Amino acid sequence: MSDPGLDELAAELSDFAAPEKKGGRPPREERIIAGFEEIQRFFEKHGRVPQHGEERDIFERLYAVRLDRLRALADCRALLTPLDHQGLLAGASSVAATEEAIDVDELAAELAGAAGAEDITVLRHVRTSTEKRAAEEIAQRQPCEDFETFKPLFDCVQREIKEGIRETHAVHKLDELKLTEIQQGEFFIVEGQLAYIAEVGDDIRTKYERRDSRLRVIYDNGTESDVLQRSFQRALYRDEAARLVINPSAGPLFSDEVSEDDQESGTIYVLRSKSDLPIVASNRDVLHKIGVTGRSNIAARFANAKNEATFLLADVEVVATYDLYNINRVKLENLIHRVFDPARLDIDIKDRFGKPVVPREWFLVPLFVVDEAVERIKDGSITQYIYDPDSARLVVAGRRSEKSH
């Protein structure tokens, strides 16, 4: 009678056995098949073919190049077609026509590392504990029920990254940036997704007496996770392509005293429209155009307002101005518009020539909130705030108003 303990051990060790050889195939073909199987596993995990792009994970970019080359080579297609139950080879190759042809030997050499060592002591087709933890963390994500609250933030950050208003830095250089803890309001790019730290909970102690905290992380695909800060940090460091999105910094824009070295850079202006449009007339006290101009003569800037669709084809009155010194006007204006984006007026009108125009600088915001925003620009805290139309106040970005609960 066999020993049950030995039987269990044998069953467990069978998972680590080297895969059987595939019926006398040459080593070159086995390496090509192994490389293709990695692409298939990627497809099964993510539900899409690997894609190119600097924002993609380094392994995904490698798989994308590999798939392009497999598609481009007739010998490889003939070898892999019987195994291609997902139709991966049917897509068009993005390899440029001007590239030199790569024969099967060159491809096999490139894929050699993908097949792993031939030594039977090397574990293959067995997930490491790190990979298992990563899979578990992804599985713990759930739909974000109030994602519409956060979507304007994601749209704005993506636009600011594209326009150069925000920069991204490799997570592996965080020590150089002296960022030791994850903060509420920060954005990261991890596993190819934009992630927003909506909430940071109170400090807790782990069973090993280490400090930790619970994070609410919102992702740009409409999901969220409730993870420990240390777990999220591990996910960042596992992803070699992970990036920290740097907040736009307004810097010290104002001071009570202007020194001789300061140079006036422009003015924040707040305007009220005299338009007779029903939506304007019914909201005149809270509807304001907010922008930044470099002109010292504000009145001259808006003298022709009634002929410009961006001014709602009506005269305007200046209700507030704030002088700026030593500041990038474009970045500041973009920053202000990001803060008030949830209250942006959604209207389109036709200009003098009948062409439709969508004014982008009109916001349904009380003047006292604009005053507060300017104060937060002064102390540099404005980057952490966004306007909440439900409560008519500035709130920490991502924090829901009481009415939304």
Side-chain angles (χ1 to χ4, degrees):
M1 185 174 181
S2 62
D3 187 334
L6 293 178
D7 290 342
E8 293 175 1
L9 178 60
E12 183 175 347
L13 291 178
S14 65
D15 293 336
F16 298 93
E20 296 181 2
K21 295 289 183 180
K22 301 183 185 293
R25 293 188 185 277
R28 178 182 62 188
E29 291 185 0
E30 289 197 7
R31 289 195 293 268
I32 292 173
I33 291 173
F36 184 66
E37 288 175 343
E38 287 194 345
I39 298 174
Q40 289 180 308
R41 286 193 290 273
F42 178 94
F43 182 88
E44 290 173 357
K45 178 179 179 180
H46 298 281
R48 59 178 173 81
V49 297
Q51 300 175 9
H52 299 280
E54 293 183 356
E55 73 280 7
R56 304 289 177 183
D57 179 272
I58 185 64
F59 294 104
E60 179 176 356
R61 294 162 64 186
L62 172 63
Y63 297 153
V65 172
R66 182 183 300 167
L67 181 58
D68 282 344
R69 293 178 176 177
L70 291 172
R71 288 170 173 173
L73 296 172
D75 289 346
C76 288
R77 290 201 307 272
L79 173 65
L80 299 173
T81 296
L83 308 175
D84 186 20
H85 60 276
Q86 298 150 317
L88 300 178
L89 298 175
S93 172
S94 62
V95 176
T98 56
E99 282 190 22
E100 296 181 3
I102 302 175
D103 63 21
V104 178
D105 288 329
E106 289 176 319
L107 180 60
E110 179 183 341
L111 299 181
E118 298 297 329
D119 191 337
I120 62 172
T121 62
V122 178
L123 298 182
R124 296 179 56 191
H125 309 295
V126 178
R127 292 193 305 172
T128 65
S129 58
T130 299
E131 292 172 330
K132 291 178 181 178
R133 284 197 302 268
E136 290 170 357
E137 289 167 7
I138 292 174
Q140 290 172 357
R141 295 185 190 179
Q142 57 188 355
C144 178
E145 295 181 358
D146 58 338
F147 183 67
E148 290 303 314
T149 302
F150 301 96
K151 190 175 186 304
L153 284 176
F154 285 108
D155 292 342
C156 181
V157 169
Q158 289 168 343
R159 183 174 64 251
E160 290 176 346
I161 293 174
K162 183 177 180 181
E163 295 174 355
I165 298 171
R166 290 176 183 255
E167 297 179 350
T168 64
H169 290 266
V171 166
H172 294 275
K173 295 183 179 179
L174 286 181
D175 290 341
E176 298 177 15
L177 298 174
K178 298 182 180 179
L179 297 176
T180 57
E181 292 189 357
I182 294 173
Q183 304 292 327
Q184 180 174 330
E186 289 182 328
F187 283 88
F188 294 88
I189 299 174
V190 55
E191 298 294 342
Q193 288 186 312
L194 189 60
Y196 173 65
I197 310 301
E199 297 176 14
V200 177
D202 295 334
D203 284 353
I204 60 176
R205 292 284 178 178
T206 69
K207 62 182 180 179
Y208 301 110
E209 292 300 316
R210 292 186 299 180
R211 286 181 61 248
D212 209 335
S213 58
R214 184 69 64 176
L215 304 178
R216 185 190 183 198
V217 185
I218 313 296
Y219 299 89
D220 61 359
N221 66 349
T223 62
E224 69 172 274
S225 63
D226 181 29
V227 299
L228 291 174
Q229 181 166 169
R230 290 183 180 274
S231 297
F232 188 73
Q233 287 172 329
R234 284 197 299 268
L236 290 172
Y237 279 98
R238 280 197 304 267
D239 180 7
E240 295 184 5
R243 314 282 294 181
L244 167 68
V245 181
I246 303 299
N247 284 332
S249 177
L253 304 183
F254 302 90
S255 62
D256 295 333
E257 298 181 2
V258 181
S259 69
E260 295 180 358
D261 295 333
D262 285 341
Q263 297 180 355
E264 185 174 3
S265 299
T267 301
I268 296 177
Y269 60 81
V270 181
L271 308 180
R272 186 171 294 151
S273 176
K274 297 182 180 181
S275 170
D276 293 328
L277 289 172
I279 190 171
V280 176
S282 61
N283 296 282
R284 201 180 306 279
D285 290 341
V286 294
L287 180 60
H288 296 108
K289 178 177 172 63
I290 309 172
V292 181
T293 181
R295 294 190 182 183
S296 57
N297 188 341
I298 299 296
R301 170 70 176 85
F302 311 123
N304 197 41
K306 63 182 179 181
N307 295 318
E308 297 183 29
T310 54
F311 290 94
L312 307 182
L313 297 175
D315 288 328
V316 296
E317 61 176 319
V318 180
V319 296
T321 60
Y322 312 88
D323 292 333
L324 313 183
Y325 296 90
N326 302 328
I327 190 63
N328 183 309
R329 293 193 298 271
V330 174
K331 288 187 176 182
L332 176 63
E333 188 169 70
N334 285 328
L335 178 62
I336 294 172
H337 291 174
R338 176 190 68 78
V339 172
F340 293 120
D341 188 74
R344 193 186 298 269
L345 180 66
D346 184 13
I347 186 176
D348 60 88
I349 62 177
K350 293 183 178 179
D351 62 15
R352 292 178 298 163
F353 307 102
K355 182 179 179 181
V357 175
V358 180
R360 302 297 298 165
E361 296 184 356
W362 291 90
F363 304 91
L364 293 162
V365 178
L367 184 59
F368 73 86
V369 178
V370 180
D371 289 335
E372 180 186 352
V374 171
E375 291 302 316
R376 295 200 175 279
I377 290 173
K378 290 181 182 181
D379 62 25
S381 65
I382 190 63
T383 58
Q384 301 298 319
Y385 285 82
I386 194 168
Y387 179 66
D388 178 12
D390 290 336
S391 60
R393 61 190 177 92
L394 295 177
V395 298
V396 175
R399 181 174 294 171
R400 290 167 285 182
S401 67
E402 295 179 359
K403 291 184 179 181
S404 66
H405 287 286

